[in-house]
Amino acid sequence: MKFIKEDFLWGGATSAGQIEGSWDVNGKTPTLLELTPYNEKINRKEMLFSSKTKDQYLKALQSNTKNHYPKRYGIDFYNRYKEDITLFKKAGMNIYRMSISWSRIFPNGDEKEPNRAGLEFYRKVFEECLKNKMQIMVTIQHFDVPLPIMLKYGGWINKETINLYLKYVEVIMNEYKEFVTYWLPFNEIDIAIWAPELGLGIFKSDFNQETGELKQISYQGLHNQFVAQAKVIELGKKISSNFKIGCMLANSTTYSIDCNPVNVMENIKMQQISRWFYYDVMVRGEYPTYSKRFFKENNIKLDITEEELLLIKNNPVEYITFSYYMTGTVAKEEIKKVNANLHDVGKNPFLEDTEWGWQIDPIGLRITLNEIWDRYQIPIFISENGIGVVEKLDNNFTVEDDYRIKYLSEHFEQINEALSDGVEVFGYTMWTPVDVVSASTCEMSKRYGLIYVDYDDYHKGTGNRYLKKSYHWFKNFRITGEL
Ligand code: P53
């Protein structure tokens, strides 16, 4: 059976803050990513995004800190991008999804002119992609609000940040219009609610969690991002008719734990709030009716103007993308929880999980694709999917990662099923073509790549790249197009 249509977009995804390193060169300012230390005592099954107080984050800027900050070094993509992009191409990829670091382009957010050194870096990266005949999908913000915007403006809860962001977007869209077709304004826009520090650029310690203040301001920040995204779509249409602008969500498909209607209803509510709400606003262009009840019950009052609502209505996204790693279960009563990383969900006895407790569910991908297609009928792109595993190079300088081949092929099979169901899936970028620093845990040893990178959790190693068994498999898979 043919899996890939000739024009199917097929590639890998990364983010600036997890690969580039060179965190303080050529004018770049820090982000919270580079102020979050590696903690070797983490409990992988329990690990959620770690959070520090504002003082702790700022102390990390002092040079005498003994902690190690892996995202300051990444995998040195800043210097090795040519080698990596060539390897991606040789793996049969025809698209590379990557992010631009705002703090390289407008280090303080509010300067009049962009930082040329930052613009030059991405131009070189894009030229390399073009040379290798690869399309580019750019994530405009991937967990990395510049620290100066956090300190001076309070991040996304301040509507002024919309203007700073739009200025940044206008510059990169004009600068790179001949390179980039696909744009995603925000990585996992729902992260604003699950990890507001990263999504919104706020310090959680500034807000009261007990009184609901944090929740209230998180939804306000999210609303401001909905507005910003609509403005990006409006702007993008003026800059180039080739642009295709979509949304991106951390998918959180859940199932009711059983057929008890009480639990089924609980799951419906969970799906509305953790999944449909975001798409409903971004695709249908309206706050859904059930969200009114949710806001009322949670005492959330938002500052939303008529003008903003009209803007959102008039500028829906053209396509949907999401990251897909796992699924969970939901019940009214307390059930055994697993680490779904962003929010607590229940265990599913039919699924196996990874060392981090992420429950592997290939059929869930087909379910998810069908559900999204049924509800919205706009094209879908899977912008992240993959498995993190602790791995070591063997004596042959490779990794026999049969588990990754199994994980990916089972998911590909379900994409194929969904295509046969008539779902319009137009592309897929795996997470990740090359090992990167983990977003949630800052571990280098949580490896997702087809390509092994010789750095450990303390950035010790040569940084050399080695091809895993899955790399060769992936490459051949693309060529034959057979399942
Ligand atoms: P790491 C949690 C759950 C689902 C997706 O995550 C998530 C997260 C946050 O970690 O985010 C995406 O590295 C994110 C990537 C990230 C990837 O998942 O924690 O867009 O930046 O690396 C995998 O294992």
Side-chain angles (χ1 to χ4, degrees):
M1 195 172 8
K2 269 273 186 221
F3 165 59
I4 298 164
K5 298 188 215 151
E6 270 322 297
D7 55 355
F8 197 85
L9 294 169
W10 183 244
T14 62
S15 82
Q18 292 169 266
I19 62 168
E20 287 178 2
S22 301
W23 71 297
D24 59 354
V25 307
N26 295 330
K28 183 185 174 302
T29 48
T31 72
L32 282 197
L33 301 178
E34 295 121 15
L35 306 183
T36 307
Y38 168 62
N39 171 13
E40 62 184 12
K41 298 203 182 74
I42 53 168
N43 175 347
R44 287 179 167 147
K45 292 260 181 191
E46 277 178 15
M47 178 68 200
L48 297 166
F49 275 105
S50 70
S51 179
K52 311 263 170 224
T53 63
K54 181 175 181 175
D55 285 350
Q56 285 170 326
Y57 279 123
L58 295 181
K59 276 208 182 96
L61 286 168
Q62 291 164 10
S63 54
N64 58 2
T65 166
K66 289 197 177 61
N67 289 324
H68 172 60
Y69 298 90
K71 288 171 189 150
R72 295 181 182 187
Y73 312 98
I75 55 163
D76 197 23
F77 180 84
Y78 195 76
N79 297 305
R80 290 186 180 249
Y81 65 92
K82 283 193 181 165
E83 182 184 352
D84 287 339
I85 291 169
T86 309
L87 287 175
F88 300 167
K89 180 63 191 179
K90 285 192 181 148
M93 299 183 171
N94 62 17
I95 186 165
Y96 175 33
R97 171 179 172 239
M98 51 165 285
S99 77
I100 292 181
S101 163
W102 188 353
S103 60
R104 288 197 196 282
I105 311 299
F106 282 102
N108 294 307
D110 54 8
E111 45 275 89
K112 280 212 171 72
E113 296 299 323
N115 174 22
R116 289 306 322 170
L119 288 173
E120 275 319 302
F121 169 64
Y122 293 106
R123 174 168 289 272
K124 285 189 293 182
V125 171
F126 295 150
E127 280 169 357
E128 204 56 32
C129 291
L130 209 68
K131 213 166 85 190
N132 282 290
K133 299 201 172 51
M134 278 202 288
Q135 301 238 39
I136 301 154
M137 179 178 273
V138 164
T139 318
I140 301 174
Q141 180 192 299
H142 194 124
F143 302 169
D144 54 355
V145 178
L147 184 66
I149 297 183
M150 299 179 61
L151 294 172
K152 190 167 166 194
Y153 294 90
W156 278 100
I157 57 172
N158 181 352
K159 291 196 180 185
E160 187 55 29
T161 298
I162 303 175
N163 300 329
L164 303 178
Y165 176 80
L166 257 290
K167 185 172 60 157
Y168 155 56
V169 176
E170 187 169 4
V171 164
I172 57 172
M173 281 188 160
N174 276 312
E175 188 79 17
Y176 304 128
K177 57 174 177 274
E178 75 268 37
F179 296 104
V180 181
T181 306
Y182 300 93
W183 300 88
L184 304 175
F186 296 97
N187 182 62
E188 301 186 337
I189 196 162
D190 48 329
I191 205 86
I193 305 304
W194 315 125
E197 296 193 313
L198 294 182
L200 300 176
I202 57 155
F203 295 100
K204 249 160 89 174
S205 58
D206 283 350
F207 302 96
N208 195 326
Q209 297 194 44
E210 314 290 282
T211 60
E213 185 191 22
L214 182 66
K215 209 172 200 175
Q216 150 87 28
I217 62 110
S218 297
Y219 275 98
Q220 183 63 53
L222 174 71
H223 170 74
N224 297 345
Q225 293 190 334
F226 286 148
V227 173
Q229 178 163 281
K231 288 191 171 190
V232 169
I233 293 169
E234 191 180 53
L235 175 72
K237 282 180 206 151
K238 290 187 197 136
I239 297 179
S240 169
S241 54
N242 287 333
F243 285 172
K244 296 191 187 314
I245 304 172
C247 62
M248 158 61 166
L249 219 69
N251 182 71
S252 50
T253 299
T254 52
Y255 311 118
S256 170
I257 191 79
D258 56 24
C259 52
N260 180 346
V262 171
N263 293 330
V264 174
M265 191 60 228
E266 200 63 17
N267 186 49
I268 287 178
K269 273 163 51 189
M270 172 67 132
Q271 290 293 279
Q272 285 177 332
I273 290 309
S274 67
R275 213 149 62 104
W276 304 131
F277 166 68
Y278 301 90
Y279 294 130
D280 285 352
V281 176
M282 300 186 294
V283 181
R284 293 176 168 165
E286 272 171 23
Y287 273 83
T289 45
Y290 57 80
S291 68
K292 310 249 157 60
R293 177 172 183 175
F294 173 79
F295 289 146
K296 203 166 161 207
E297 285 176 357
N298 286 277
N299 202 19
I300 294 170
K301 295 192 185 71
L302 301 180
D303 168 10
I304 301 181
T305 68
E306 284 305 315
E307 197 190 340
E308 289 168 346
L309 289 178
L310 198 65
L311 194 83
I312 290 172
K313 182 78 199 166
N314 290 338
N315 294 284
V317 291
E318 251 185 90
Y319 58 98
I320 285 172
T321 89
F322 59 85
S323 60
Y324 183 87
Y325 293 94
M326 64 201 134
T327 59
T329 58
V330 169
K332 180 97 176 154
E333 298 296 317
E334 193 62 20
I335 46 173
K336 193 169 169 14
K337 293 286 164 64
V338 290
N339 174 12
N341 200 322
L342 296 177
H343 49 117
D344 275 356
V345 290
K347 227 178 146 30
N348 184 332
F350 300 99
L351 301 178
E352 285 176 11
D353 60 2
T354 72
E355 202 176 322
W356 284 264
W358 294 19
Q359 303 189 103
I360 303 171
D361 184 9
I363 296 174
L365 179 55
R366 179 180 177 189
I367 295 170
T368 303
L369 288 167
N370 270 280
E371 286 177 338
I372 294 178
W373 176 245
D374 284 347
R375 194 169 172 119
Y376 303 107
Q377 269 144 32
I378 63 170
I380 308 172
F381 182 104
I382 300 151
S383 49
E384 287 181 30
N385 166 241
I387 183 169
V389 181
V390 177
E391 297 172 318
K392 288 238 153 26
L393 264 194
D394 66 18
N395 293 335
N396 301 318
F397 295 98
T398 186
V399 180
E400 301 273 334
D401 53 346
D402 292 299
Y403 40 83
R404 180 166 294 107
I405 294 174
K406 180 172 187 284
Y407 180 99
L408 292 175
S409 61
E410 285 176 0
H411 284 78
F412 296 168
E413 205 175 312
Q414 296 303 319
I415 299 173
N416 192 35
E417 292 289 351
L419 281 168
S420 303
D421 295 334
V423 179
E424 227 178 88
V425 187
F426 71 101
Y428 171 96
T429 46
M430 66 144 331
W431 188 268
T432 51
V434 60
D435 293 344
V436 304
V437 179
S438 158
S440 57
T441 69
C442 286
E443 289 168 282
M444 187 64 216
S445 46
K446 187 179 187 186
R447 296 173 184 276
Y448 283 86
L450 304 174
I451 302 162
Y452 183 93
V453 177
D454 179 30
Y455 282 129
D456 68 10
D457 288 322
Y458 290 92
H459 200 64
K460 298 256 169 10
T462 60
N464 288 345
R465 278 50 171 163
Y466 297 94
L467 308 182
K468 300 181 194 175
K469 186 175 177 184
S470 57
Y471 180 94
H472 302 287
W473 169 83
F474 192 90
K475 177 169 142 188
N476 290 326
F477 183 87
R478 176 70 183 97
I479 290 164
T480 62
E482 298 292 328
L483 274 177

